[in-house]
Amino acid sequence: MNKKERIALIKELESELAYGRFIHTLDVAATAANLAMCYGADLDKAEVAGLLHDCAKCMSLGKMLKVCDKAGTDLSEFEKNSVSLLHSKAGAVLAESRYGVRDEDTLNAIRFHTTGRPGMSLLEKIVFVADYIEPGRDSAPNLPQVRKLAYESIDDCVLQILKDTLRYLATTGSAVDPMTQKTYEYYRRCDEERKFYE
């Protein structure tokens, strides 16, 4: 993405998103770019995924469902009833159809930035973490420690975010998306295996 394309995309997002969501978007894009520099990931892809990760967030649930249905996107029953989950899948559809993103890794980073998934690529992990730790966030548990961990070990950070998210959902009595639970179990096993062989 050249400078002109970057400016055009940011202007379009500013007109599409609520102001608070737009600021969050800029913060996630900047954080994702920083993490990409730290871990040697593709800086351009990280910024684009960060800019577009919430591009569907301000749509109604009904509109998100239509966007996903038109694209033939597989949705769980859990996702069909949750704006907070569905916006990731709808966002990936919009990133491709409206914003011209063709790179599958970038689309997956948008698609799974809320729940994560087993076997995430480095870019997917970066956007997942950036969404959680961006400077505007202030209510997540252990945030100072998680932010520090993000620049020390991306895998340890992903696991900590999943652990904290599940613990938070348990304390509020909120239902847990099966993909979040599945992702946590996957990264917990990876961590145990890594420690076993150290």
Side-chain angles (χ1 to χ4, degrees), residues 78 82 84-85 114-115 128 132 139-141 160-182 184:
F78 207 89
S82 172
S84 63
L85 293 174
T114 303
T115 61
F128 177 81
Y132 193 89
S139 59
Q160 189 62 53
I161 288 169
L162 290 162
K163 193 183 296 181
D164 288 346
T165 299
L166 290 171
R167 191 177 295 133
Y168 170 77
L169 291 172
T171 62
T172 61
S174 302
V176 176
D177 175 65
M179 182 58 84
T180 303
Q181 185 67 48
K182 189 176 176 182
Y184 168 70

Side-chain angles (χ1 to χ4, degrees), residues 98-141:
R98 183 183 294 177
Y99 297 103
V101 176
R102 297 288 176 261
D103 178 68
E104 195 60 28
D105 197 19
T106 304
L107 293 172
N108 280 335
I110 296 165
R111 190 175 287 123
F112 297 105
H113 79 268
T114 303
T115 61
R117 67 167 177 156
M120 286 188 284
S121 70
L122 177 58
L123 180 63
E124 289 175 75
K125 292 173 193 174
I126 282 171
V127 176
F128 177 81
V129 169
D131 185 42
Y132 193 89
I133 69 164
E134 60 92 350
R137 297 282 196 200
D138 61 3
S139 59

Side-chain angles (χ1 to χ4, degrees), residues 25-187:
T25 291
L26 294 179
D27 285 345
V28 171
T31 304
N34 283 329
L35 287 168
M37 286 186 270
C38 178
Y39 290 104
D42 188 300
L43 181 60
D44 190 53
K45 288 181 184 180
E47 186 180 34
V48 169
L51 285 170
L52 292 174
H53 83 287
D54 271 356
C55 65
K57 187 78 174 193
C58 295
M59 296 169 71
S60 67
L61 182 65
K63 199 165 182 182
M64 286 186 206
L65 286 168
K66 284 180 185 175
V67 164
C68 290
D69 184 56
K70 187 176 178 184
T73 305
D74 286 331
L75 300 173
S76 68
E77 287 305 312
F78 207 89
E79 289 170 324
K80 288 177 184 176
N81 296 298
S82 172
V83 170
S84 63
L85 293 174
L86 189 56
H87 83 276
S88 300
K89 297 284 180 73
V93 173
L94 288 181
E96 184 171 14
S97 62
R98 183 183 294 177
Y99 297 103
V101 176
R102 297 288 176 261
D103 178 68
E104 195 60 28
D105 197 19
T106 304
L107 293 172
N108 280 335
I110 296 165
R111 190 175 287 123
F112 297 105
H113 79 268
T114 303
T115 61
R117 67 167 177 156
M120 286 188 284
S121 70
L122 177 58
L123 180 63
E124 289 175 75
K125 292 173 193 174
I126 282 171
V127 176
F128 177 81
V129 169
D131 185 42
Y132 193 89
I133 69 164
E134 60 92 350
R137 297 282 196 200
D138 61 3
S139 59
N142 304 316
L143 207 45
Q145 296 90 340
V146 173
R147 283 180 171 138
K148 185 172 184 290
L149 189 58
Y151 291 91
E152 296 171 348
S153 169
I154 195 80
D155 288 319
D156 288 348
C157 189
V158 165
L159 180 59
Q160 189 62 53
I161 288 169
L162 290 162
K163 193 183 296 181
D164 288 346
T165 299
L166 290 171
R167 191 177 295 133
Y168 170 77
L169 291 172
T171 62
T172 61
S174 302
V176 176
D177 175 65
M179 182 58 84
T180 303
Q181 185 67 48
K182 189 176 176 182
T183 305
Y184 168 70
E185 294 299 334
Y186 174 87
Y187 283 100

